[in-house]
Amino acid sequence: MSYDGESFSDVRGFDLSGAPDDTRFIIGDLQIGVTYRDQYLLVNYDPQAPQRTGFRGVPTFEPDPGWVLRGRLDRYAAPKSVDFDTVGTDKSTYTSPGVITFTHAGREHTLTPTSSPSGMVVVFADATSGVTTYGACRSLSVPEPDQDGTVVLDFNRALNLPCAFSGMPVCPVAPAGNRLPFAVEAGEKTPHSQQH
């Protein structure tokens, strides 16, 4: 196997306490991912797995400019730690820069985003969750706000998280405040592999 550019065939021990999430060990065509979520999790990545070779894409709603909404990020005085329940373990802790407020159908709603390298991510559920979209949540990348705090929520870009495709990954679940009371008929639907 190999790890971090070094190949070996003897028994090795590794201190992964400071390693990045989803550290990969390579064994031939296989990769073994090591993730820590209150316990170590091992995930097998097999390029010949039937789920991969038989993948038929992801169904989506038709793009609709009506689902491109403007909102406002109200920043906290300092970023806050927020705990989300997860699919697979108890909780995961993220950093949130503030609260996004937006209006849909004449009513005001709020979402708690988490920080990401490219801006923010909102993990949300809505009235389609568990019906036409994956039940736990979907995610939406939100670019950094304008100077006045304006953000664009393009729900056409709502994506399934890895747990929608397999029971192995650990993914956050939309917190209560990110459960929208209306149907967001935009973005990705439930993957074919999960449909009955």
Side-chain angles (χ1 to χ4, degrees):
M1 79 172 42
S2 63
Y3 170 68
D4 200 24
E6 180 185 357
S7 295
F8 53 92
S9 59
D10 55 339
V11 176
R12 299 278 179 101
F14 296 95
D15 178 6
L16 300 178
S17 58
D21 195 25
D22 192 28
T23 298
R24 302 277 178 110
F25 291 84
I26 299 170
I27 308 167
D29 288 341
L30 301 178
Q31 294 184 21
I32 305 297
V34 181
T35 299
Y36 185 78
R37 297 281 193 283
D38 298 325
Q39 61 184 337
Y40 283 102
L41 305 171
L42 300 178
V43 180
N44 179 21
Y45 296 91
D46 179 0
Q48 299 307 315
Q51 297 88 341
R52 183 178 183 281
T53 58
F55 183 65
R56 299 180 302 157
V58 178
T60 62
F61 292 98
E62 285 297 316
D64 180 352
W67 283 111
V68 181
L69 308 176
R70 291 198 173 279
R72 181 186 72 252
L73 174 68
D74 294 313
R75 288 190 182 275
Y76 299 129
K80 287 186 179 180
S81 291
V82 291
D83 290 333
F84 286 12
D85 288 330
T86 64
V87 174
T89 60
D90 295 330
K91 292 189 183 302
S92 285
T93 301
Y94 300 88
T95 301
S96 176
V99 175
I100 294 173
T101 304
F102 70 101
T103 301
H104 172 70
R107 295 190 62 192
E108 194 171 87
H109 304 277
T110 60
L111 294 167
T112 299
T114 58
S115 299
S116 79
S118 59
M120 298 175 287
V121 173
V122 172
V123 176
F124 73 96
D126 63 275
T128 69
S129 300
V131 182
T132 55
T133 65
Y134 179 60
C137 64
R138 290 183 288 165
S139 72
L140 179 65
S141 292
V142 181
E144 283 292 334
D146 294 342
Q147 287 194 341
D148 64 357
T150 300
V151 294
V152 176
L153 302 168
D154 185 352
F155 285 101
N156 294 293
R157 298 181 180 277
L159 301 175
N160 292 309
L161 292 170
C163 54
F165 300 92
S166 166
M168 295 300 294
V170 176
C171 297
V173 174
N178 285 9
R179 295 179 181 276
L180 300 171
F182 54 88
V184 179
E185 295 181 323
E188 291 187 341
K189 296 182 180 181
T190 305
H192 293 299
S193 60
Q194 296 288 323
Q195 294 175 356
H196 302 296

